[in-house]
Amino acid sequence: MLPRIKKRLEWLGHFFFYCMLTIGGQRTAYFFLYPVIFTYVLGSRKIHRQALPYLRRRFPDHSRSQLFFDVFKNVLSFGKVLVDRGWMGLNQRAELTGTFTDSDRLRALIREGNGVVILLAHVGNWQTSLARLDALEVGVHALMEFDEQSVSKHFFELRGKAPFRIIDVHGFMGGMIEATTALQQGDLVLMMADRLHQGRHARVPFLNDQVRLPVSAYHLAMTAGSPVVILFGAKTGRREYALKIWDILYPGQSGLSREEELTASARKFAAALERYVEQYPYQWYNFFDIWQQ
Amino acid sequence: MNDLKKELKEMLVRDLKLQDVDPAGIGDDDPLFEEGLGLDSLDAVELVVLINKHYGIQIKDMEEGRIAFASVNALADYITRHQGQAD
């Protein structure tokens, strides 16, 4: 009975925000977001369980009351991203303006013809940021989990077309065959690298603690001879975002053994992610205890 | 065809660095992945690159991979069928 009520309340919540977006637009939906998120953070233990593993490590000096407001800011930031997605989906004329720092570097890597592995994380509004990849003149393929696929499909179907082709990670050999072929053709392969689902991994430091991160992306790049670009997007204003290359790796060119190389690459990814959350502490949307998995 | 299978077995052991595996001990119909030779998805990546490098054949998608990587027999058959197209 309780799950049914919860589901209905969730549906009502979505319906309310879609109405607000349709009638009043993005600004009105943002306005209602504050009391809704505050009530949610006040009443839900689950959201604290999901957000605190990160926030406690990001703000080790914060008191319990400060952490409560950190959870609020984190969830509010996520809520704004959801509103943006809904707003852009419902209104075909709606656009976010943004910058893509180092896009020339990415174009130069593409011109080398060895394909490029692009690593992403559950930070910022990555779906909106990825729409910028549409302008590149190569195929873009995204290795995704089912839930990431459904969210992306939902977002891009509302917008009319997806800027990338989805490869299912639960397909034969985790989609790695298609990913390899795409790189051999000189295309881009996008992968989420901040959450381990299965397969080989490396233990690396992240926010003064150890996490296990997947290494398949680095292995793929090393084998195909492709560079790895760490690309994160951040919301920088009500209608603005910034897409930036945080690091470029060349796995396999350092003379280390394969295992050392994979660990070193995962370590560099974690370091880039640390720099990102240093700058955008509330745009971390990996609501999952990655330190305990 | 037998020479190709022998070559493939040697390539698997050498290039995938399979320890304690004798190429001659790999059965023609032994599965390459999981319960067979024990290869995983990262080995599949290397295999796709090796097949392209040595035979000029690109395994394009999961379905082709599923067929080609079933066993040494299946891989030899796949290479023989596609070699003409690769030239």
Side-chain angles (χ1 to χ4, degrees), chain A residues 165 167-178 180-181 184-185 200 215-217 219-220 223-224 258 262, chain B residues 33-34 39-50 52-53 57-63 65-67 69:
Chain A
R165 189 179 142 260
I167 302 174
D168 185 2
V169 294
H170 294 300
F172 180 64
M173 291 295 133
M176 294 303 260
I177 291 174
E178 281 171 302
T180 312
T181 305
Q184 286 178 329
Q185 289 168 350
R200 294 188 207 175
V215 295
S216 53
H219 188 281
L220 175 68
T223 310
R258 189 169 86 168
L262 297 178
Chain B
F33 292 90
E34 291 161 2
L39 305 184
D40 63 14
S41 61
L42 297 186
D43 294 313
V45 169
E46 298 204 23
L47 210 42
V48 170
V49 173
L50 287 170
N52 190 16
K53 186 174 144 193
I57 295 166
Q58 208 162 51
I59 295 171
K60 291 196 177 76
D61 56 38
M62 295 184 205
E63 274 320 299
R66 198 190 297 273
I67 294 164
F69 293 157

Short mmCIF file of all heavy atoms in Angstrom, two decimals, chain A residues 165 167-178 180-181 184-185 200 215-217 219-220 223-224 258 262, chain B residues 33-34 39-50 52-53 57-63 65-67 69:
data_model
loop_
_atom_site.label_atom_id
_atom_site.label_comp_id
_atom_site.label_asym_id
_atom_site.label_seq_id
_atom_site.Cartn_x
_atom_site.Cartn_y
_atom_site.Cartn_z
N ARG A 165 24.66 7.69 -30.14
CA ARG A 165 24.06 6.36 -30.25
C ARG A 165 24.37 5.61 -28.95
O ARG A 165 25.52 5.66 -28.48
CB ARG A 165 24.71 5.63 -31.44
CG ARG A 165 24.07 4.36 -31.80
CD ARG A 165 24.78 3.75 -33.01
NE ARG A 165 24.83 2.31 -32.81
CZ ARG A 165 25.87 1.63 -32.37
NH1 ARG A 165 26.99 2.25 -32.11
NH2 ARG A 165 25.80 0.33 -32.19
N ILE A 167 25.11 2.43 -26.61
CA ILE A 167 25.54 1.02 -26.58
C ILE A 167 25.20 0.50 -25.18
O ILE A 167 25.63 1.08 -24.18
CB ILE A 167 27.07 0.89 -26.82
CG1 ILE A 167 27.47 1.51 -28.16
CG2 ILE A 167 27.48 -0.56 -26.76
CD1 ILE A 167 29.00 1.54 -28.39
N ASP A 168 24.46 -0.58 -25.13
CA ASP A 168 24.02 -1.13 -23.84
C ASP A 168 25.17 -1.88 -23.15
O ASP A 168 25.72 -2.83 -23.71
CB ASP A 168 22.84 -2.09 -24.09
CG ASP A 168 22.24 -2.61 -22.81
OD1 ASP A 168 22.71 -2.21 -21.72
OD2 ASP A 168 21.30 -3.41 -22.88
N VAL A 169 25.50 -1.46 -21.93
CA VAL A 169 26.60 -2.14 -21.22
C VAL A 169 26.23 -3.56 -20.80
O VAL A 169 27.10 -4.34 -20.44
CB VAL A 169 27.07 -1.37 -19.95
CG1 VAL A 169 27.70 -0.05 -20.31
CG2 VAL A 169 25.97 -1.18 -18.95
N HIS A 170 24.93 -3.87 -20.86
CA HIS A 170 24.53 -5.23 -20.50
C HIS A 170 24.44 -6.14 -21.72
O HIS A 170 23.99 -7.28 -21.62
CB HIS A 170 23.20 -5.21 -19.75
CG HIS A 170 23.33 -4.54 -18.41
ND1 HIS A 170 24.18 -4.99 -17.44
CD2 HIS A 170 22.77 -3.41 -17.91
CE1 HIS A 170 24.12 -4.19 -16.39
NE2 HIS A 170 23.27 -3.21 -16.66
N GLY A 171 24.87 -5.63 -22.88
CA GLY A 171 24.90 -6.47 -24.07
C GLY A 171 26.09 -7.41 -24.03
O GLY A 171 26.84 -7.45 -23.04
N PHE A 172 26.30 -8.15 -25.11
CA PHE A 172 27.39 -9.12 -25.18
C PHE A 172 28.74 -8.42 -24.92
O PHE A 172 29.04 -7.40 -25.52
CB PHE A 172 27.39 -9.79 -26.56
CG PHE A 172 28.47 -10.83 -26.75
CD1 PHE A 172 28.48 -11.97 -25.98
CD2 PHE A 172 29.47 -10.65 -27.69
CE1 PHE A 172 29.47 -12.93 -26.14
CE2 PHE A 172 30.47 -11.59 -27.87
CZ PHE A 172 30.47 -12.74 -27.09
N MET A 173 29.51 -8.96 -24.00
CA MET A 173 30.82 -8.44 -23.61
C MET A 173 30.75 -6.97 -23.18
O MET A 173 31.65 -6.17 -23.44
CB MET A 173 31.83 -8.59 -24.76
CG MET A 173 32.21 -10.02 -25.03
SD MET A 173 33.08 -10.72 -23.63
CE MET A 173 32.24 -12.28 -23.44
N GLY A 174 29.64 -6.63 -22.54
CA GLY A 174 29.49 -5.29 -21.98
C GLY A 174 29.54 -4.17 -23.03
O GLY A 174 29.85 -3.03 -22.70
N GLY A 175 29.24 -4.52 -24.28
CA GLY A 175 29.24 -3.50 -25.34
C GLY A 175 30.64 -3.12 -25.80
O GLY A 175 30.80 -2.20 -26.61
N MET A 176 31.66 -3.82 -25.27
CA MET A 176 33.04 -3.41 -25.56
C MET A 176 33.45 -3.65 -27.02
O MET A 176 34.32 -2.97 -27.54
CB MET A 176 34.01 -4.13 -24.62
CG MET A 176 33.85 -3.73 -23.17
SD MET A 176 34.06 -1.96 -22.95
CE MET A 176 35.72 -1.88 -22.36
N ILE A 177 32.79 -4.63 -27.65
CA ILE A 177 33.14 -4.90 -29.06
C ILE A 177 32.74 -3.71 -29.92
O ILE A 177 33.53 -3.21 -30.73
CB ILE A 177 32.47 -6.21 -29.54
CG1 ILE A 177 33.11 -7.39 -28.81
CG2 ILE A 177 32.57 -6.36 -31.05
CD1 ILE A 177 32.46 -8.72 -29.07
N GLU A 178 31.51 -3.23 -29.72
CA GLU A 178 31.05 -2.09 -30.51
C GLU A 178 31.86 -0.82 -30.19
O GLU A 178 32.13 -0.02 -31.07
CB GLU A 178 29.57 -1.84 -30.26
CG GLU A 178 28.72 -2.81 -31.04
CD GLU A 178 27.27 -2.75 -30.66
OE1 GLU A 178 26.98 -2.96 -29.47
OE2 GLU A 178 26.44 -2.50 -31.53
N THR A 180 34.99 -0.74 -29.27
CA THR A 180 36.30 -0.86 -29.93
C THR A 180 36.19 -0.51 -31.41
O THR A 180 37.00 0.23 -31.96
CB THR A 180 36.84 -2.32 -29.80
OG1 THR A 180 36.71 -2.73 -28.45
CG2 THR A 180 38.28 -2.42 -30.23
N THR A 181 35.14 -1.05 -32.06
CA THR A 181 34.93 -0.77 -33.48
C THR A 181 34.74 0.72 -33.71
O THR A 181 35.27 1.29 -34.67
CB THR A 181 33.70 -1.55 -33.99
OG1 THR A 181 33.90 -2.92 -33.67
CG2 THR A 181 33.54 -1.41 -35.48
N GLN A 184 38.02 2.41 -33.60
CA GLN A 184 38.80 2.10 -34.81
C GLN A 184 38.34 2.94 -36.00
O GLN A 184 39.11 3.21 -36.92
CB GLN A 184 38.69 0.61 -35.14
CG GLN A 184 39.50 -0.26 -34.18
CD GLN A 184 39.35 -1.74 -34.47
OE1 GLN A 184 38.31 -2.19 -34.94
NE2 GLN A 184 40.38 -2.50 -34.18
N GLN A 185 37.07 3.35 -35.95
CA GLN A 185 36.54 4.20 -37.03
C GLN A 185 36.85 5.68 -36.79
O GLN A 185 36.48 6.53 -37.58
CB GLN A 185 35.02 4.04 -37.11
CG GLN A 185 34.57 2.69 -37.65
CD GLN A 185 33.10 2.44 -37.44
OE1 GLN A 185 32.42 3.19 -36.74
NE2 GLN A 185 32.59 1.38 -38.02
N ARG A 200 36.67 -5.28 -13.88
CA ARG A 200 37.95 -4.92 -13.25
C ARG A 200 37.91 -3.48 -12.73
O ARG A 200 37.22 -2.64 -13.28
CB ARG A 200 39.07 -5.06 -14.28
CG ARG A 200 39.27 -6.50 -14.71
CD ARG A 200 40.50 -6.62 -15.56
NE ARG A 200 40.37 -7.76 -16.46
CZ ARG A 200 41.24 -8.07 -17.40
NH1 ARG A 200 42.32 -7.34 -17.57
NH2 ARG A 200 41.06 -9.11 -18.18
N VAL A 215 38.06 0.30 -14.55
CA VAL A 215 39.25 0.60 -15.38
C VAL A 215 39.05 0.18 -16.84
O VAL A 215 39.97 0.33 -17.65
CB VAL A 215 40.52 -0.09 -14.83
CG1 VAL A 215 40.89 0.49 -13.47
CG2 VAL A 215 40.37 -1.59 -14.75
N SER A 216 37.85 -0.30 -17.17
CA SER A 216 37.65 -0.81 -18.54
C SER A 216 37.87 0.28 -19.60
O SER A 216 38.37 0.00 -20.68
CB SER A 216 36.26 -1.42 -18.68
OG SER A 216 35.30 -0.49 -18.26
N ALA A 217 37.54 1.53 -19.27
CA ALA A 217 37.70 2.61 -20.25
C ALA A 217 39.17 2.80 -20.61
O ALA A 217 39.51 3.01 -21.78
CB ALA A 217 37.16 3.91 -19.67
N HIS A 219 41.55 0.55 -20.34
CA HIS A 219 41.99 -0.64 -21.06
C HIS A 219 41.57 -0.54 -22.53
O HIS A 219 42.34 -0.83 -23.45
CB HIS A 219 41.40 -1.89 -20.41
CG HIS A 219 41.95 -3.16 -20.96
ND1 HIS A 219 41.53 -3.69 -22.15
CD2 HIS A 219 42.93 -3.98 -20.51
CE1 HIS A 219 42.21 -4.81 -22.40
NE2 HIS A 219 43.06 -5.00 -21.42
N LEU A 220 40.32 -0.10 -22.72
CA LEU A 220 39.80 0.07 -24.09
C LEU A 220 40.67 1.07 -24.86
O LEU A 220 41.08 0.80 -26.00
CB LEU A 220 38.34 0.59 -23.99
CG LEU A 220 37.64 0.95 -25.29
CD1 LEU A 220 37.38 -0.28 -26.13
CD2 LEU A 220 36.30 1.66 -24.99
N THR A 223 44.22 -0.32 -25.61
CA THR A 223 44.23 -1.33 -26.68
C THR A 223 43.98 -0.71 -28.04
O THR A 223 44.60 -1.08 -29.03
CB THR A 223 43.16 -2.41 -26.39
OG1 THR A 223 43.34 -2.86 -25.05
CG2 THR A 223 43.28 -3.59 -27.33
N ALA A 224 43.06 0.23 -28.09
CA ALA A 224 42.72 0.85 -29.39
C ALA A 224 43.69 1.98 -29.76
O ALA A 224 43.61 2.52 -30.86
CB ALA A 224 41.29 1.37 -29.34
N ARG A 258 50.72 -3.02 -17.47
CA ARG A 258 49.30 -2.78 -17.75
C ARG A 258 48.52 -2.44 -16.49
O ARG A 258 47.77 -1.48 -16.45
CB ARG A 258 48.69 -3.99 -18.46
CG ARG A 258 47.29 -3.71 -18.97
CD ARG A 258 46.80 -4.80 -19.87
NE ARG A 258 46.19 -5.86 -19.08
CZ ARG A 258 45.47 -6.84 -19.61
NH1 ARG A 258 45.30 -6.92 -20.90
NH2 ARG A 258 44.94 -7.77 -18.85
N LEU A 262 46.62 1.10 -15.61
CA LEU A 262 45.18 1.22 -15.37
C LEU A 262 44.93 1.95 -14.04
O LEU A 262 44.08 2.83 -13.95
CB LEU A 262 44.51 -0.16 -15.35
CG LEU A 262 44.57 -0.95 -16.66
CD1 LEU A 262 43.93 -2.32 -16.51
CD2 LEU A 262 43.89 -0.20 -17.79
N PHE B 33 35.08 -17.59 -24.11
CA PHE B 33 34.79 -16.74 -22.97
C PHE B 33 34.21 -17.54 -21.81
O PHE B 33 33.73 -18.65 -21.98
CB PHE B 33 33.85 -15.60 -23.38
CG PHE B 33 34.54 -14.62 -24.30
CD1 PHE B 33 34.50 -14.80 -25.67
CD2 PHE B 33 35.30 -13.59 -23.79
CE1 PHE B 33 35.18 -13.93 -26.52
CE2 PHE B 33 35.99 -12.72 -24.63
CZ PHE B 33 35.93 -12.90 -26.00
N GLU B 34 34.28 -16.89 -20.65
CA GLU B 34 33.74 -17.43 -19.40
C GLU B 34 34.18 -18.86 -19.13
O GLU B 34 35.36 -19.09 -18.91
CB GLU B 34 32.22 -17.27 -19.38
CG GLU B 34 31.86 -15.80 -19.27
CD GLU B 34 30.44 -15.46 -19.69
OE1 GLU B 34 29.69 -16.36 -20.05
OE2 GLU B 34 30.13 -14.25 -19.66
N LEU B 39 38.15 -15.98 -21.01
CA LEU B 39 38.38 -14.60 -21.44
C LEU B 39 37.23 -13.71 -20.96
O LEU B 39 36.12 -14.19 -20.74
CB LEU B 39 38.50 -14.51 -22.97
CG LEU B 39 39.55 -15.41 -23.62
CD1 LEU B 39 39.61 -15.13 -25.13
CD2 LEU B 39 40.92 -15.22 -23.01
N ASP B 40 37.50 -12.39 -20.82
CA ASP B 40 36.43 -11.47 -20.41
C ASP B 40 36.28 -10.33 -21.42
O ASP B 40 36.91 -10.35 -22.50
CB ASP B 40 36.68 -10.94 -18.99
CG ASP B 40 37.97 -10.12 -18.90
OD1 ASP B 40 38.52 -9.74 -19.95
OD2 ASP B 40 38.42 -9.87 -17.77
N SER B 41 35.47 -9.35 -21.07
CA SER B 41 35.15 -8.29 -22.03
C SER B 41 36.39 -7.48 -22.44
O SER B 41 36.48 -7.00 -23.57
CB SER B 41 34.08 -7.36 -21.46
OG SER B 41 34.56 -6.75 -20.28
N LEU B 42 37.37 -7.36 -21.53
CA LEU B 42 38.57 -6.61 -21.88
C LEU B 42 39.44 -7.41 -22.85
O LEU B 42 40.10 -6.84 -23.73
CB LEU B 42 39.36 -6.23 -20.62
CG LEU B 42 38.60 -5.30 -19.66
CD1 LEU B 42 39.51 -4.85 -18.53
CD2 LEU B 42 38.03 -4.09 -20.37
N ASP B 43 39.40 -8.75 -22.70
CA ASP B 43 40.10 -9.59 -23.69
C ASP B 43 39.40 -9.46 -25.05
O ASP B 43 40.06 -9.51 -26.09
CB ASP B 43 40.11 -11.05 -23.24
CG ASP B 43 40.92 -11.26 -21.97
OD1 ASP B 43 42.05 -10.74 -21.91
OD2 ASP B 43 40.42 -11.92 -21.05
N ALA B 44 38.07 -9.30 -25.02
CA ALA B 44 37.31 -9.15 -26.27
C ALA B 44 37.79 -7.91 -27.03
O ALA B 44 37.92 -7.92 -28.25
CB ALA B 44 35.82 -9.06 -25.98
N VAL B 45 38.08 -6.84 -26.27
CA VAL B 45 38.58 -5.61 -26.87
C VAL B 45 39.90 -5.90 -27.61
O VAL B 45 40.09 -5.52 -28.77
CB VAL B 45 38.82 -4.53 -25.79
CG1 VAL B 45 39.57 -3.33 -26.35
CG2 VAL B 45 37.50 -4.08 -25.19
N GLU B 46 40.80 -6.61 -26.93
CA GLU B 46 42.10 -6.92 -27.53
C GLU B 46 41.93 -7.81 -28.75
O GLU B 46 42.61 -7.65 -29.76
CB GLU B 46 43.01 -7.58 -26.49
CG GLU B 46 43.26 -6.66 -25.33
CD GLU B 46 44.54 -6.96 -24.58
OE1 GLU B 46 45.45 -7.57 -25.18
OE2 GLU B 46 44.63 -6.57 -23.40
N LEU B 47 40.97 -8.75 -28.64
CA LEU B 47 40.74 -9.68 -29.74
C LEU B 47 40.22 -8.94 -30.99
O LEU B 47 40.64 -9.24 -32.11
CB LEU B 47 39.73 -10.74 -29.27
CG LEU B 47 39.82 -12.14 -29.87
CD1 LEU B 47 41.24 -12.65 -30.00
CD2 LEU B 47 38.98 -13.11 -29.04
N VAL B 48 39.34 -7.99 -30.78
CA VAL B 48 38.80 -7.20 -31.92
C VAL B 48 39.96 -6.48 -32.62
O VAL B 48 40.06 -6.48 -33.85
CB VAL B 48 37.74 -6.17 -31.43
CG1 VAL B 48 37.36 -5.21 -32.54
CG2 VAL B 48 36.50 -6.89 -30.92
N VAL B 49 40.86 -5.90 -31.81
CA VAL B 49 41.99 -5.16 -32.38
C VAL B 49 42.96 -6.13 -33.09
O VAL B 49 43.45 -5.85 -34.19
CB VAL B 49 42.72 -4.35 -31.27
CG1 VAL B 49 44.00 -3.71 -31.80
CG2 VAL B 49 41.79 -3.27 -30.73
N LEU B 50 43.19 -7.30 -32.47
CA LEU B 50 44.11 -8.29 -33.07
C LEU B 50 43.59 -8.81 -34.41
O LEU B 50 44.35 -8.94 -35.37
CB LEU B 50 44.30 -9.47 -32.10
CG LEU B 50 45.17 -9.21 -30.86
CD1 LEU B 50 45.08 -10.37 -29.88
CD2 LEU B 50 46.63 -9.00 -31.28
N ASN B 52 41.61 -7.33 -36.43
CA ASN B 52 41.72 -6.24 -37.41
C ASN B 52 43.18 -6.09 -37.88
O ASN B 52 43.46 -5.93 -39.06
CB ASN B 52 41.21 -4.94 -36.77
CG ASN B 52 41.06 -3.82 -37.79
OD1 ASN B 52 41.05 -4.06 -38.99
ND2 ASN B 52 40.96 -2.61 -37.32
N LYS B 53 44.09 -6.16 -36.91
CA LYS B 53 45.52 -5.97 -37.22
C LYS B 53 46.08 -7.10 -38.09
O LYS B 53 46.75 -6.85 -39.09
CB LYS B 53 46.29 -5.90 -35.89
CG LYS B 53 47.75 -5.55 -36.00
CD LYS B 53 48.33 -5.37 -34.59
CE LYS B 53 49.75 -5.89 -34.53
NZ LYS B 53 50.23 -6.01 -33.14
N ILE B 57 40.14 -7.47 -40.69
CA ILE B 57 38.68 -7.64 -40.59
C ILE B 57 38.15 -6.90 -39.36
O ILE B 57 38.71 -7.04 -38.26
CB ILE B 57 38.31 -9.14 -40.49
CG1 ILE B 57 38.70 -9.84 -41.79
CG2 ILE B 57 36.82 -9.34 -40.20
CD1 ILE B 57 38.71 -11.34 -41.68
N GLN B 58 37.09 -6.16 -39.55
CA GLN B 58 36.51 -5.42 -38.43
C GLN B 58 35.24 -6.13 -37.96
O GLN B 58 34.31 -6.33 -38.74
CB GLN B 58 36.18 -4.01 -38.88
CG GLN B 58 36.22 -3.01 -37.75
CD GLN B 58 36.31 -1.59 -38.26
OE1 GLN B 58 35.52 -1.20 -39.11
NE2 GLN B 58 37.25 -0.83 -37.76
N ILE B 59 35.24 -6.50 -36.69
CA ILE B 59 34.03 -7.10 -36.11
C ILE B 59 33.18 -5.94 -35.62
O ILE B 59 33.57 -5.22 -34.69
CB ILE B 59 34.40 -8.08 -34.98
CG1 ILE B 59 35.18 -9.25 -35.60
CG2 ILE B 59 33.16 -8.59 -34.25
CD1 ILE B 59 35.81 -10.19 -34.63
N LYS B 60 32.05 -5.74 -36.27
CA LYS B 60 31.36 -4.45 -36.10
C LYS B 60 30.44 -4.33 -34.89
O LYS B 60 30.28 -3.26 -34.33
CB LYS B 60 30.55 -4.15 -37.36
CG LYS B 60 31.45 -3.84 -38.56
CD LYS B 60 30.65 -3.18 -39.66
CE LYS B 60 31.54 -2.81 -40.83
NZ LYS B 60 31.93 -3.93 -41.68
N ASP B 61 29.78 -5.41 -34.50
CA ASP B 61 28.83 -5.26 -33.41
C ASP B 61 28.74 -6.51 -32.55
O ASP B 61 29.42 -7.50 -32.79
CB ASP B 61 27.44 -4.86 -33.95
CG ASP B 61 26.93 -5.85 -34.97
OD1 ASP B 61 27.15 -7.05 -34.80
OD2 ASP B 61 26.31 -5.41 -35.96
N MET B 62 27.87 -6.41 -31.55
CA MET B 62 27.73 -7.50 -30.57
C MET B 62 27.33 -8.81 -31.24
O MET B 62 27.82 -9.87 -30.88
CB MET B 62 26.66 -7.14 -29.55
CG MET B 62 27.00 -5.95 -28.70
SD MET B 62 25.72 -5.70 -27.50
CE MET B 62 25.93 -3.96 -27.17
N GLU B 63 26.41 -8.74 -32.21
CA GLU B 63 25.91 -9.96 -32.84
C GLU B 63 27.02 -10.67 -33.60
O GLU B 63 27.17 -11.89 -33.50
CB GLU B 63 24.72 -9.65 -33.76
CG GLU B 63 23.38 -9.60 -33.04
CD GLU B 63 23.24 -10.68 -31.98
OE1 GLU B 63 23.30 -11.88 -32.33
OE2 GLU B 63 23.10 -10.35 -30.79
N GLY B 65 30.17 -10.31 -33.02
CA GLY B 65 31.12 -10.76 -32.00
C GLY B 65 30.66 -12.05 -31.34
O GLY B 65 31.45 -12.96 -31.10
N ARG B 66 29.38 -12.10 -31.06
CA ARG B 66 28.82 -13.29 -30.40
C ARG B 66 29.06 -14.54 -31.27
O ARG B 66 29.41 -15.60 -30.77
CB ARG B 66 27.31 -13.10 -30.18
CG ARG B 66 26.71 -14.04 -29.15
CD ARG B 66 25.20 -13.93 -29.20
NE ARG B 66 24.72 -12.61 -28.85
CZ ARG B 66 24.47 -12.22 -27.59
NH1 ARG B 66 24.67 -13.04 -26.61
NH2 ARG B 66 24.02 -11.01 -27.36
N ILE B 67 28.89 -14.37 -32.58
CA ILE B 67 29.08 -15.49 -33.51
C ILE B 67 30.58 -15.80 -33.65
O ILE B 67 31.01 -16.95 -33.49
CB ILE B 67 28.48 -15.14 -34.90
CG1 ILE B 67 26.96 -15.00 -34.79
CG2 ILE B 67 28.85 -16.19 -35.95
CD1 ILE B 67 26.30 -14.30 -35.96
N PHE B 69 33.21 -15.03 -31.79
CA PHE B 69 33.99 -15.37 -30.60
C PHE B 69 33.45 -16.58 -29.84
O PHE B 69 33.80 -16.80 -28.69
CB PHE B 69 34.08 -14.17 -29.65
CG PHE B 69 34.87 -13.01 -30.21
CD1 PHE B 69 34.67 -11.72 -29.73
CD2 PHE B 69 35.82 -13.20 -31.19
CE1 PHE B 69 35.40 -10.65 -30.24
CE2 PHE B 69 36.55 -12.15 -31.71
CZ PHE B 69 36.34 -10.87 -31.24
#
